Amino acid sequence: MTAAAQQNQKRTRRWPVFETTPPHFAAQCRNGQVSVTGDTTCSLGNEYETTSGRPAGVFASWSWDGETLVAEVDPFGYFNLFFFANGKTVGVSPSLLQLIADGADTTLDHRALAVFYRLGLFINDDTPFKNIRVLPPGGRLTWRNGEFTVTGGPTVPQVREISRQGAVDGFIDLARQSMTRILNAWTDDIVLPLSGGRDSRHILLEMQHLGRLPKTCVTFHHGGRELNSEARAARAVCESVGVSHTILGHPRSRSRDILRTLILTSLCSDEHAQMMPLHDYLADQPCAALDGIAGDILTNPDDSAEEYFQLASRGDYAGIAQRMIAGHGRVISQASWGRGAGPLYAPGRDDEAIDYIGTAIQEYASAPDPYQAFWFWSRTRREIGLVPTSMFGSAAAIYCPYLDPEFVEFGLSLPYRVTRDQQLHNDAIAKAYPAHRHVPFQEGFRNLPHTRPNPFHKITSALDGISMLLAIEPEKPFKEAADFLRGSKELHRSSANIYRMYALCLESLDAEKAKRLLALNARLHASRSRDLVTDTYLPRKLAETTNGI
């Protein structure tokens, strides 16, 4: 890394998210004396400065000077830094399980869990436990002599007066500004996870515009060598740009990936298991990765946005909450059930969850689009935000171009009328990079029929699923194994397995079990498959160089 880049970048410490003992700090005050364990100083993530001197990036830090603990996170709180604090004890860590291993209180937060089982995420600063929280956006925790304060929180943007064309131009210019800063901050190799959608494609095309292509683009899917529509769209844009494209398509142990993901995301998400191939790939690459998080929500691609905007204009925030819960329930449920995991794992709490979610949405009533603002500060921050810090945390560094402060403020302040048609990002990409506008997105490709799976696949999957359930050491192992084999009449198999494993991880969770889960994740990482790549595209010039022509 050049001297200029080192000056621009403040944090480059890699936190191996698969290690047995994650970074942590804990202190206890007794009789006027303080005993401490863990790292007294720690900086995590990647922070770099904007031209105005404002911090950018996804990062966290804490320091203990012998009397005072100060812990902080990035301005948008996308680095989930967990903490527990009361009059006598305090602890911070990027791993919730590590805090429990350090002795944090494990009293369950039933309201937060009622929301999780209905939406698939935690909102505000909640976790599964009453006394373990995450620092809020721009959060700062100060603890001294048994007294603590926490400051920070989301901001509610005011509407910006701007034309549609002005919004398109602003989107192009601010994304370019953000990418320029990142490429100045990181001068070594970059791996770009590339989907079939807008966000990562925009990043790739901007890298080409700035004259610095990634080492390779990487797309994961689970269809073996038969590329699905997303992989085919990603391949098409790589061919158009002339950049290497790597496909990770080998069949995986779904149960193993689910369990690893639950531990990596600190029991705060029901998603991301599909990203484990990329997680394992990045672990063996000395490269930074770029994540397109937040690009979608800042340009309103959500098909429910219009309905929710109308409900918000009438002040019906509970109505938005009800529809969000119903939508999530339909996605994870069998057609005959449709009600999701809430009635199964947190029964009788529908009204409580709806009221809590509705109140959280109402906090953004003055925003140009209350639903967009809520989703940015909740699902994108609390669930999708676990991707850069946990799922991609195996990379040498992570950068999130759409979380540049000026870009976020711009996106959240756009009037709904300029994002209403859901074409803002399409228009920006087409205008900024006309040479590639002919390349379709994922919707322009169809999935090819899959070959029939190995006849022993179901048997091996069942055995592996039981193995992972037993690795959690449930209180009733035979019952859990039988229930797993029986399947669920209410939830799709994958969702049923996620929530079953999640509940088992929570079951009787204490310090010793937390340590076992962390050690289990480290063992599963160590035994991961290195056979990941199923297909590689090399542009002609690179292929000639590689072959020595």
Side-chain angles (χ1 to χ4, degrees):
M1 187 179 295
T2 65
Q6 289 175 335
Q7 266 190 339
N8 192 27
Q9 181 161 293
K10 293 186 176 180
R11 291 181 174 84
T12 56
R13 172 173 171 177
R14 186 184 187 191
W15 160 42
V17 292
F18 40 79
E19 62 188 3
T20 304
T21 305
H24 66 115
F25 173 84
Q28 187 171 38
C29 182
R30 287 182 179 176
N31 303 320
Q33 300 295 316
V34 178
S35 59
V36 304
T37 58
D39 308 289
T40 56
T41 302
C42 187
S43 295
L44 300 166
N46 301 94
E47 178 186 355
Y48 54 97
E49 288 186 358
T50 65
T51 52
S52 63
R54 300 170 65 186
V58 177
F59 56 86
S61 67
W62 67 80
S63 62
W64 166 256
D65 64 5
E67 294 184 346
T68 304
L69 171 70
V70 176
E72 299 176 292
V73 294
D74 58 85
F76 303 121
Y78 272 63
F79 195 109
N80 278 242
L81 185 63
F82 299 91
F83 74 93
F84 71 90
N86 57 32
K88 297 296 181 182
T89 61
V90 68
V92 291
S93 176
S95 168
L96 179 150
L97 289 171
Q98 182 59 48
L99 288 186
I100 294 174
D102 287 338
D105 182 8
T106 57
T107 301
L108 294 176
D109 187 335
H110 292 290
R111 182 180 67 177
L113 285 166
V115 170
F116 174 80
Y117 285 124
R118 287 164 175 80
L119 276 188
L121 66 138
F122 292 93
I123 64 173
N124 298 327
D125 303 323
D126 295 348
T127 78
F129 306 99
K130 277 188 176 181
N131 297 308
I132 301 177
R133 313 281 289 174
V134 295
L135 280 180
R140 179 185 175 94
L141 164 70
T142 304
W143 186 90
R144 178 185 173 91
N145 294 330
E147 300 290 333
F148 78 94
T149 59
V150 176
T151 59
T155 57
V156 181
Q158 300 300 308
V159 67
R160 178 189 302 263
E161 288 303 321
I162 193 171
S163 67
R164 171 55 179 264
Q165 192 54 56
V168 169
D169 292 340
F171 198 91
I172 295 170
D173 293 342
L174 290 172
R176 182 158 296 161
Q177 174 181 271
S178 176
M179 281 300 304
T180 300
R181 290 168 176 165
I182 289 170
L183 296 182
N184 286 338
W186 182 268
T187 58
D188 294 330
D189 286 340
I190 290 173
V191 168
L192 176 61
L194 186 67
S195 72
R198 282 82 183 146
D199 300 336
S200 56
R201 177 177 296 200
H202 191 162
I203 293 171
L204 173 59
L205 297 180
E206 185 56 35
M207 290 186 74
Q208 182 191 43
H209 175 82
L210 295 174
R212 185 165 159 211
L213 290 175
K215 178 181 179 182
T216 189
C217 296
V218 184
T219 304
F220 61 86
H221 78 124
H222 303 291
R225 296 187 180 278
E226 299 165 345
L227 303 189
N228 61 15
S229 60
E230 180 168 50
R232 292 173 69 202
R235 172 60 54 83
V237 74
C238 286
E239 291 174 345
S240 182
V241 169
V243 66
S244 167
H245 186 218
T246 302
I247 300 287
L248 312 178
H250 281 295
R252 304 269 300 188
S253 165
R254 180 68 176 173
S255 295
R256 187 176 299 255
D257 284 349
I258 288 171
L259 181 54
R260 292 176 67 192
T261 300
L262 291 176
I263 298 171
L264 285 170
T265 59
S266 290
L267 304 179
C268 284
S269 175
D270 70 344
E271 294 188 15
H272 309 322
Q274 75 278 9
M275 292 188 177
M276 285 307 302
L278 187 52
H279 173 89
D280 289 345
Y281 178 85
L282 292 173
D284 295 323
Q285 302 293 322
C287 306
L290 302 185
D291 185 2
I293 184 173
D296 55 357
I297 197 62
L298 294 173
T299 52
N300 181 25
D302 194 323
D303 290 340
S304 300
E306 179 65 26
E307 179 186 13
Y308 294 165
F309 183 80
Q310 297 302 328
L311 288 170
S313 68
R314 298 196 296 270
D316 187 4
Y317 302 103
I320 298 176
Q322 286 177 311
R323 287 162 175 79
M324 289 168 62
I325 289 172
H328 184 261
R330 287 191 297 271
V331 168
I332 68 173
S333 295
Q334 303 278 7
S336 59
W337 174 249
R339 298 172 59 197
L344 304 176
Y345 290 94
R349 293 183 175 271
D350 288 343
D351 292 342
E352 181 182 27
I354 289 169
D355 180 68
Y356 187 51
I357 297 167
T359 299
I361 300 171
Q362 190 172 4
E363 293 294 320
Y364 305 98
S366 62
D369 181 356
Y371 166 68
Q372 178 204 35
F374 168 76
W375 221 221
F376 175 84
W377 293 114
S378 296
R379 180 175 184 264
T380 313
R381 170 184 162 235
R382 291 301 317 282
E383 182 169 53
I384 310 303
L386 293 164
V387 172
T389 54
S390 298
M391 305 311 297
F392 293 175
S394 52
I398 299 293
Y399 293 93
C400 304
Y402 299 112
L403 291 181
D404 182 272
E406 285 88 350
F407 189 91
V408 171
E409 291 166 1
F410 178 81
L412 289 179
S413 68
L414 292 175
Y416 183 68
R417 59 179 170 77
V418 306
T419 63
R420 190 173 220 146
D421 65 0
Q422 302 181 25
Q423 296 299 310
L424 176 60
H425 206 171
N426 288 347
D427 292 348
I429 292 174
K431 181 176 181 179
Y433 319 104
H436 305 285
R437 64 189 307 167
H438 65 284
V439 183
F441 293 101
Q442 180 178 351
E443 306 92 276
F445 294 86
R446 63 180 181 86
N447 285 319
L448 299 175
H450 285 181
T451 56
R452 301 181 69 176
N454 185 308
F456 297 105
H457 178 69
K458 286 188 177 181
I459 297 174
T460 56
S461 293
L463 292 175
D464 196 64
I466 292 173
S467 173
M468 291 300 99
L469 285 173
L470 297 180
I472 303 173
E473 300 184 22
E475 295 176 358
K476 300 178 180 179
F478 294 109
K479 178 182 182 302
E480 294 300 336
D483 287 346
F484 176 83
L485 290 174
R486 189 178 301 115
S488 172
K489 296 179 181 179
E490 295 87 8
L491 305 180
H492 294 308
R493 173 169 288 278
S494 178
S495 298
N497 291 348
I498 290 170
Y499 287 111
R500 179 182 287 111
M501 286 190 179
Y502 184 90
L504 290 179
C505 287
L506 279 186
E507 180 183 78
S508 304
L509 183 57
D510 59 10
E512 290 307 310
K513 183 172 181 177
K515 292 175 184 177
R516 290 201 308 271
L517 289 173
L518 289 169
L520 173 61
N521 182 56
R523 292 198 303 273
L524 292 175
H525 175 82
S527 63
R528 72 193 185 280
S529 172
R530 262 74 170 187
D531 186 16
L532 299 170
V533 178
T534 56
D535 187 87
T536 301
Y537 163 77
L538 292 176
R540 180 177 178 82
K541 288 184 179 179
L542 184 56
E544 290 174 350
T545 302
T546 303
N547 294 328
I549 297 176

